[in-house]
Amino acid sequence: RGKTAGRGHKGFKARGGNKGLLLFIGGQTPLHKAVPKRGFSNPHSFIGRFDPINLKRLIYFINSGRLDTSKTITMKHLRDCGAVYPKVGVKLLGGGVSKLQYAIDIEVSDVSEEARRIVEEAGGRVHVAYYNRLGLRALLKPERFKTIPRRAAPPPKLLWKYPEHYRDVEKQFEARKGAN
């Protein structure tokens, strides 16, 4: 017969373009509002999201000539050679190697105790450096910046992890004094 075409008379469901509201339960308090919120979002949870690189992989890139051990290896060098593409930072792990043949200096966001021990036994040095998002972007893609921003200080809850940061800031400050 036509007329309402099975949609009933008037109302939201009778109108064109009705897709139905997701989570709408006909006026009853929806479950997602009835259940209390729980927990919180940890702002320092990025610590566990560092991109890992094993010493075995690092040695592979050094032996293939894609990394130079005569200078400090930074996260930029690791990205440029294709070893790792850091989004938040890089963690050096000691997997696959028991000792190194040569000394390397490397700067990463985090390091395992085993990797630090292996590198330092070979006469190398591991520098743990804090980079916020802007600082890491400036390190990885300096061509996008007119002036490179100064490295940010680690948040107070992470000071235990980056004790070398304040020594570096003092060196930068003295260098700027000398340049003026």
Side-chain angles (χ1 to χ4, degrees), residues 84-95:
V84 67
Y85 296 95
K87 294 174 186 69
V88 180
V90 175
K91 181 170 183 173
L92 183 65
L93 303 173

Side-chain angles (χ1 to χ4, degrees), residues 19-175:
K19 298 272 192 280
L21 292 175
L22 191 70
L23 303 176
F24 183 71
I25 318 175
Q28 180 176 325
T29 304
L31 188 63
H32 71 279
K33 286 189 176 183
V35 176
K37 295 184 204 173
R38 294 219 22 171
F40 70 102
S41 176
N42 186 352
H44 304 299
S45 64
F46 68 87
I47 289 294
R49 294 197 319 247
F50 290 141
D51 294 317
I53 183 167
N54 282 316
L55 279 173
K56 183 177 181 180
R57 184 168 170 81
L58 190 68
I59 290 170
Y60 168 77
F61 281 94
I62 291 169
N63 290 339
S64 64
R66 291 160 81 176
L67 280 173
D68 183 19
T69 58
S70 63
K71 53 188 174 189
T72 302
I73 299 169
T74 64
M75 288 184 275
K76 178 173 177 36
H77 298 118
L78 294 172
R79 192 195 108 238
D80 290 346
C81 77
V84 67
Y85 296 95
K87 294 174 186 69
V88 180
V90 175
K91 181 170 183 173
L92 183 65
L93 303 173
V97 176
S98 57
K99 63 181 181 177
L100 290 176
Q101 300 162 353
Y102 32 75
I104 58 170
D105 286 353
I106 187 164
E107 180 185 270
V108 288
S109 301
D110 199 5
V111 62
S112 69
E113 289 180 24
E114 181 186 4
R116 183 184 293 272
R117 180 186 54 78
I118 292 169
V119 170
E120 289 175 353
E121 280 178 0
R125 187 179 72 92
V126 178
H127 180 73
V128 178
Y130 173 78
Y131 285 97
N132 61 356
R133 287 180 85 171
L134 178 68
L136 185 64
R137 206 169 57 205
L139 174 74
L140 298 178
K141 299 178 182 178
E143 65 277 0
R144 294 192 177 186
F145 292 83
K146 290 180 184 173
T147 57
I148 303 294
R150 204 174 80 213
R151 275 198 11 218
K157 287 186 176 180
L158 295 178
L159 286 178
W160 62 272
K161 195 172 193 64
Y162 304 101
E164 299 173 14
H165 173 79
Y166 288 101
R167 288 191 289 257
D168 291 347
V169 169
E170 289 171 5
K171 287 178 191 173
Q172 288 176 4
F173 187 69
E174 289 171 10

